[in-house]
């Protein structure tokens, strides 16, 4: 049996030294102490390994003031190419601190070290470089004008893209630094400043990132980090009168509350919310690729991906073969400490999540779903959940309707393309969908008719920096990544020059 609890003696010196520090907020380039703090617990053992600061509304106000003065001060005065170079230096620095940051992230979240290295550090550096380039490429338009009630003289029209201002960002724990950088990088490229609230479970990587940003030459006050709960820190940020835009990734329920709170002061809102993304295997699916892909579409990151392939629909002619193949992979997955290289699946983030996941599995069983593999709790102090496959599910069952955010797959068969489409679209969510087929006609047909923001063909969860990523239906509004995200952080100004 592999070791379940993290062995903290394997942590590198840099992570160890960082964890031993007192963690305040990061405001105006300084460590800002708070009246209250809270415990951080290792998800593999439930043991406390550090404390984080709990920001009050007054602390949030100090952060917003720092962001406002950087916006009109040093950051606002920097030329676009100076901002671009600073972002490029930050990407380099992030890579240089890969082990330290990945270990911190793994300890807080329970995610595999390979994943935090590759995604929160590697992908974030790649994304920062992509976004750095946008700093110098934002442009307006020019127009020849013919305003009927100004008949004399010539006119020229211009548009300018100005930074929207101070951005308030709220992010979850499932890819903590990765998603934080999804929010920070386009804001920086557009010339904005930012106050970011990480999830309470994963506050440290963002704090460390903000320190590296100072070293990279991004002026103090441009990136501010306020750690704490959604109920106090998050609400104070969303409702703050001097925030111009709220960008949020998290659950649909919280997104709905944020949209209401932001509307009161007409803040722009970008919401990346929950998902229940289907994986559809047609009769001609390339099974040697599709079966492992279907398994890892749900089991990677322990099912804690917003676009996890959590619903599997398979043509009836290959259904048994596919379910057996996915179950076989599920049985073979090595569960253990996420710091251990041999581990393929670590714990979910908290005991509360573990409990919720098992409640949803139990609801499915009671409604008639068949457990092919997994389903039973793993005893111990760590919040582990076994890879689980529920088959013969109906669209109205609880674990089919609700986002589980754990390593739990629900599966059903279909007979016709039309039936597959109906099953896939029978969800309040619309984040991603993958189809597995080599029939070109079917590819086009399904791509056009699936109700989701991202459609993947013979691949799942393929997010590129150059393509927008956003949800349809209750999966959100707006999009992260790509030029779309940069433009969302700008406001347009139209100017008319009249030459007499
Ligand atoms: P969550 O409960 O919605 O929380 C997200 C963040 O919002 C946390 O920092 C939370 O703090 C804070 N928050 C809670 N209530 C708030 C309020 N009223 N005002 C302001 N902030 C508030 O989500 P989660 O459970 O941490 O994360 C999992 C969810 O994120 C899943 O639904 C998943 O699909 C979604 N997700 C979506 C994407 C995407 O791109 N679409 C990506 C990753 C994850 P507290 O924890 O203290 O409440
Ligand atoms: Mg939550």
């Amino acid at each position: 049996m592999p070791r379940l609890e993290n062995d903290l003696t394997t942590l590198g010196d840099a992570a160890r030294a960082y964890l031993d520090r007192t963690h305040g907020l990061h405001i105006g380039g300084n460590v800002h102490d708070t009246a209250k703090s809270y415990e951080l617990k290792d998800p593999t053992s439930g043991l406390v390994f550090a404390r984080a600061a709990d920001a009050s509304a007054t602390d949030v106000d100090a952060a917003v003031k720092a962001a406002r003065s950087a916006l009109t001060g040093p950051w606002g005065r920097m030329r676009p190419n100076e901002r671009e170079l600073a972002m490029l230096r930050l990407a380099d620095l992030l890579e240089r601190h890969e082990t330290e940051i990945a270990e911190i992230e793994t300890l807080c979240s329970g995610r595999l070290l390979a994943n935090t290295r590759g995604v929160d550090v590697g992908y974030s550096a790649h994304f920062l470089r992509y976004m750095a380039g946008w700093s110098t490429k934002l442009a307006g338009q020019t127009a020849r004008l013919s305003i009927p009630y100004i008949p004399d003289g010539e006119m020229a029209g211009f548009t300018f893209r100005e930074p929207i201002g101070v951005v308030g960002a709220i992010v979850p724990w499932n890819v903590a630094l990765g998603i934080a950088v999804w929010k920070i990088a386009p804001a920086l490229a557009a010339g904005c400043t930012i106050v970011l609230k990480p999830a309470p479970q994963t506050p440290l990587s963002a704090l460390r990132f903000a320190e590296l940003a100072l070293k990279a030459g991004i002026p103090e006050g441009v990136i501010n980090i306020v750690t704490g709960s959604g109920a106090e820190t998050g609400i104070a940020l969303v409702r703050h009168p001097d925030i111009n835009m709220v960008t949020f990734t998290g659950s649909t329920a919280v997104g709905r509350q944020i949209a209401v709170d932001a509307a009161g002061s007409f803040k722009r809102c970008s919401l990346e919310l929950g998902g229940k993304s289907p994986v559809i295997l047609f009769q001609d699916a390339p099974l040697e690729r599709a079966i492992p892909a279907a398994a890892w579409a749900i089991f990677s990151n322990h099912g804690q991906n917003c676009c996890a392939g959590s619903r599997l629909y398979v043509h009836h002619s290959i259904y048994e073969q596919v379910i057996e193949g996915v179950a076989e992979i599920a049985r073979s997955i090595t569960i253990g400490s996420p710091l251990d290289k041999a581990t393929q699946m670590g714990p979910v983030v908290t005991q509360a999540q573990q409990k919720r996941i098992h409640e949803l599995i139990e609801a499915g069983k009671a409604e008639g779903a068949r457990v092919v593999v997994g389903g039973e709790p793993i005893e111990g102090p760590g919040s582990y959940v076994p890879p689980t496959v529920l088959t013969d599910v109906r669209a109205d069952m609880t674990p089919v309707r609700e986002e589980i955010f754990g390593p739990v797959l629900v599966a059903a068969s279909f007979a016709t393309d039309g039936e597959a489409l109906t099953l896939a679209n029978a969800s309040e969510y619309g984040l991603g969908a993958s189809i597995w087929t080599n029939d070109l006609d079917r590819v086009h047909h399904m791509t056009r008719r699936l109700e989701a923001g991202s459609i993947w063909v013979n691949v799942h969860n393929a997010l590129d920096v150059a393509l927008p990523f956003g949800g349809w239906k209750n999966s959100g509004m707006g999009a992260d990544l790509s030029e779309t995200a940069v433009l969302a952080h700008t406001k347009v100004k139209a100017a008319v020059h009249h030459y007499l």
Side-chain angles (χ1 to χ4, degrees), residues 169-175 179 182-183 197-202 228-239 246 248-255 257-258 261 271-276 304-308 349 353 356 403-405 429 431 463 469-471 475-476 480:
I170 296 175
V171 294
W173 38 261
N174 65 313
V175 187
I179 296 176
W182 281 17
K183 305 300 188 190
K197 189 197 91 66
Q201 301 84 352
T202 50
S229 70
E232 187 168 359
T233 316
I235 287 181
L237 185 57
V238 173
R239 294 188 184 163
V246 176
F248 170 75
T249 294
S251 63
T252 294
V254 173
Q257 183 58 49
I258 286 178
D261 281 348
L271 305 172
E272 303 297 331
L273 309 177
K276 194 77 193 177
Q304 304 168 124
N305 285 330
C306 49
C307 49
V349 69
Q353 281 294 114
R356 181 181 137 75
E403 183 181 46
I404 299 176
F405 227 58
Y429 296 110
L431 198 51
L463 307 184
F469 176 68
S475 290
D480 282 324

Side-chain angles (χ1 to χ4, degrees), residues 22-27 31-40 50-60 200 203 207 225-234 236:
T22 302
H23 305 290
L25 309 176
H26 184 95
I27 297 181
V31 178
H32 177 103
D33 293 327
T34 54
K36 289 183 293 174
S37 67
Y38 66 94
E39 295 174 334
L40 296 179
R51 297 187 71 83
D54 202 350
S56 66
T58 312
D59 299 319
V60 169
L207 288 167
I225 310 292
V226 289
T227 59
S229 70
E232 187 168 359
T233 316

Side-chain angles (χ1 to χ4, degrees), residues 75 79 90 108 132 137 148 185 238 355 378 429 443 460 463 465 478:
W75 187 239
R79 291 180 171 204
L90 178 54
C108 291
K137 282 146 203 85
V238 173
K355 182 165 170 283
I378 296 175
Y429 296 110
V443 166
H460 192 90
L463 307 184
V465 294

Side-chain angles (χ1 to χ4, degrees), residues 350-429:
T350 54
Q351 285 176 347
Q353 281 294 114
Q354 180 194 36
K355 182 165 170 283
R356 181 181 137 75
I357 294 166
H358 278 293
E359 282 167 3
L360 288 164
I361 294 171
E362 288 306 316
K365 287 185 196 168
E367 289 163 341
R370 188 163 68 88
V371 182
V372 177
V373 59
E376 293 304 320
I378 296 175
E379 297 302 329
S383 43
Y384 287 90
V385 176
T388 297
V389 179
L390 303 178
T391 58
D392 307 342
V393 298
R394 295 183 317 269
D396 62 346
M397 288 181 178
T398 310
V400 181
R401 286 184 292 105
E402 290 196 26
E403 183 181 46
I404 299 176
F405 227 58
V408 182
L409 180 66
V410 298
S413 68
F414 64 84
T416 63
D417 287 18
E419 206 186 319
L421 190 65
T422 304
L423 284 169
N425 285 343
S427 172
E428 66 166 295
Y429 296 110

Side-chain angles (χ1 to χ4, degrees), residues 154-230:
E154 269 191 79
M155 288 175 289
F158 311 90
T159 65
F160 297 87
R161 287 226 170 242
E162 306 283 356
I164 191 154
V166 177
V167 176
I170 296 175
V171 294
W173 38 261
N174 65 313
V175 187
L177 184 61
I179 296 176
V181 175
W182 281 17
K183 305 300 188 190
I184 293 170
L188 297 182
C192 298
T193 58
I194 190 156
V195 179
L196 178 124
K197 189 197 91 66
Q201 301 84 352
T202 50
L204 301 184
S205 53
L207 288 167
R208 191 72 184 102
F209 179 83
E211 290 180 346
L212 296 181
L214 284 180
K215 272 200 191 170
I218 294 176
E220 51 194 42
V222 176
I223 302 171
N224 305 278
I225 310 292
V226 289
T227 59
S229 70

